[in-house]
Amino acid sequence: MRLVNGVIAVAVASTFGAPVIAEDYDLDAMRTATEKYKSVEVALSEGYIPDPSGHCIDAAAEGLPAEWGGMGIHYLRPDLLKLSPPGDRVDGASTHTDFMAPAILLYEPQADGSLELVGVENLVFEAAWLADGHDGPPVLNNREWDHMSDDPNTSGDEAHGFMPHFDQHVWLFRENPSGDLMPFNPMVTCENHHG
């Protein structure tokens, strides 16, 4: 077990049987560490870029129940995601799990054209994560990260244009009645997105 900047990280057994990295974060400490990104200009100055697809992600557009809500516009740190050159699907070598310096910021478009920070996210590519010796998903505050892989038998894209990966959203700046660690937030909307 190690404690670093308010984070406790331990190796635990996963449902797959092998140890994975489990991290316990104090959400208030995480919020304090990331609130500077309420300014999109700060995010841009630190290397975040808007999702090149220009999409604002909501459940209905992904073929999922509309009442699940949205995720918003993703701003990415390509260096933390270790993105590969463009291909059919977004791919990379990320095994980054530090939520005090997240790889992805989530913004909700506002009616006046501004963006409001609503949450953060980390994403590790499945192939890189497994090649790094893990045999199951990372764990955050006792919750296994979501496994995302597109199902070619459905009309939606369950992996949002990415290669198979594990991701974890944390709704630090917008209450989520579904839970702080759920992928979609019914209190987040893309209705003001004009991308």
Side-chain angles (χ1 to χ4, degrees):
M1 181 181 331
R2 71 182 198 276
L3 176 63
V4 180
N5 296 330
V7 182
I8 298 173
V10 297
V12 298
S14 79
T15 56
F16 293 89
V20 297
I21 297 300
E23 297 180 317
D24 289 329
Y25 280 85
D26 177 279
L27 296 188
D28 288 331
M30 193 189 302
R31 191 174 292 109
T32 298
T34 58
E35 68 184 347
K36 64 184 175 180
Y37 300 122
K38 288 181 176 181
S39 166
V40 175
E41 289 75 23
V42 170
L44 292 170
S45 74
E46 292 193 13
Y48 290 91
I49 62 169
D51 176 357
S53 75
H55 292 136
C56 181
I57 304 295
D58 71 9
E62 301 297 314
L64 300 167
E67 61 269 17
W68 288 9
M71 293 179 181
I73 298 172
H74 293 61
Y75 272 56
L76 318 169
R77 276 273 306 266
D79 60 326
L80 295 179
L81 292 172
K82 299 181 182 176
L83 296 179
S84 301
D88 291 340
R89 299 184 76 78
V90 179
D91 198 1
S94 175
T95 58
H96 178 81
T97 63
D98 183 1
F99 280 92
M100 300 304 260
I104 302 169
L105 305 173
L106 304 167
Y107 290 96
E108 179 189 63
Q110 303 299 297
D112 65 1
S114 65
L115 296 173
E116 183 177 330
L117 181 66
V118 291
V120 300
E121 177 184 0
N122 272 324
L123 178 154
V124 299
F125 288 94
E126 182 178 23
W129 184 252
L130 298 179
D132 201 34
H134 304 287
D135 200 18
V139 176
L140 173 67
N141 292 7
N142 296 315
R143 182 184 189 276
E144 288 187 355
W145 291 23
D146 295 301
H147 181 253
M148 308 296 289
S149 181
D150 183 44
D151 180 351
N153 298 314
T154 65
S155 60
D157 183 350
E158 293 82 2
H160 317 298
F162 282 71
M163 290 295 287
H165 62 276
F166 299 106
D167 65 26
Q168 179 61 64
H169 298 75
V170 185
W171 301 101
L172 297 172
F173 303 100
R174 178 69 55 83
E175 182 180 351
N176 186 348
S178 301
D180 292 333
L181 305 180
M182 297 304 291
F184 288 95
N185 186 337
M187 304 301 289
V188 172
T189 178
C190 290
E191 67 184 20
N192 294 311
H193 180 61
H194 306 293

